[in-house]
Amino acid sequence: MKINVRQICFILAFYTAATKLLLYPIILSGYSGRDLVFSALISFAVQGAVVWSVAFLSSKTDKTLFELIQDTFGGVAARIIYGFFAAFFIFCAIPPLFEQKLYVQAIFYDTVPSFLVFAPIFIFTVYAGSKGLKNIGRCADICMPVFIISMAFIFFMSFSEVDFSNLLPILKTPPSGVFGGSLKTSFFFLEPAYLLMFLGNYKYKRGDAAKLTLSYALGAAVVLLFLAVFYGIYGELTSSRQFAVSKTSLYFSAIDIVGRIDLYALYALEVVMLFAFVLNIQCAVHCLNKCTGWDYPELLSLFVNLILLAIILAFERKLAAMQTFFTNWVWIIILLFATAAPLLAWVLKRDKGRRL
């Protein structure tokens, strides 16, 4: 097997949380206000059910998604569908790419031209994007302790400044705000699509569906706690703060004496965020490999990264317009590829390789 359940659990727990610590709280609070935790809970509940569905499907078949489609509709259809999934992962890499670019520039290197700072990142993404599922699993093993230690440090420095009364009264936001916030931030929730790519590439054992679902629930719990802490610190100003995780520990009392010690945790956490971002590129390369039959992952990764580089150069000064587009329209694509497609996988033929 190319990846194991333990590593997928780490991805579902820690990558899930890492991808929602920068702009997600700010965007969500703009729609849901003090009820942002409930909007996030709706999103996690829906996608958590889909994660369980895909995890349970893996107990019924040893096939990959490509094999399931091929045995049901034929090889041509499988290649076409994987081509669409490749485009989906490339498209969904755009928001975190801009997010990371702005974050690195603003937090770590605010006096250096932004492109010079971020350009070397593409060397890493080209290399990491060319690696297969085994590498994805090993990276998850590395990121697990880094994420736990970093987030524990950030939470420790943040709790003393939290006023949870900022979250009261609860559920006073109109339903359109609570549900609208959940819908408009759906492009942060890609986990079922990732799990669909892992299907058939790991050895399922009894109870693994529960482990995978509980791992996703752990990631959700971290995000929900972070949302409560962040809003508890800033209240109605939350939607005007940028890069949430970098702002939660700013008022830690020891910072005035010893300086920005929180930057050590932020640097370490950035490693996890980068690997979580690269997962989109790795999945896109995997899909392109299946779609084209071209077994040159290095060139495919270079191709994907050149597309992303062209996008970041073309739209560097149009971030607000891109954010508006993603919040208003991309929920349709997410609904199709990260919610409907994983559920529809159940209708594919899975008799061959079926577990007894």
Side-chain angles (χ1 to χ4, degrees), residues 186 328-337:
S186 60
N328 286 341
W329 299 106
V330 176
W331 63 268
I332 301 172
I333 299 173
I334 300 300
L335 182 65
L336 179 61
F337 285 91

Side-chain angles (χ1 to χ4, degrees), residues 260-282:
R260 291 291 306 274
I261 56 175
D262 61 318
L263 286 177
Y264 293 104
L266 295 177
Y267 273 118
L269 196 58
E270 174 64 9
V271 173
V272 184
M273 292 180 184
L274 281 177
F275 279 115
F277 160 66
V278 170
L279 183 57
N280 292 289
I281 298 175
Q282 291 168 323

Side-chain angles (χ1 to χ4, degrees), residues 335-355:
L335 182 65
L336 179 61
F337 285 91
T339 305
L343 295 175
L344 289 173
W346 276 92
V347 307
L348 301 174
K349 293 180 180 178
R350 55 183 186 275
D351 294 331
K352 182 181 178 181
R354 181 185 177 95
R355 291 185 178 89

Side-chain angles (χ1 to χ4, degrees), residues 87-97 187 190 280 326 330 333-334:
F88 167 75
F89 285 117
I90 294 172
F91 185 72
C92 289
I94 296 172
L97 175 64
F187 59 92
L190 310 178
N280 292 289
F326 271 83
V330 176
I333 299 173
I334 300 300

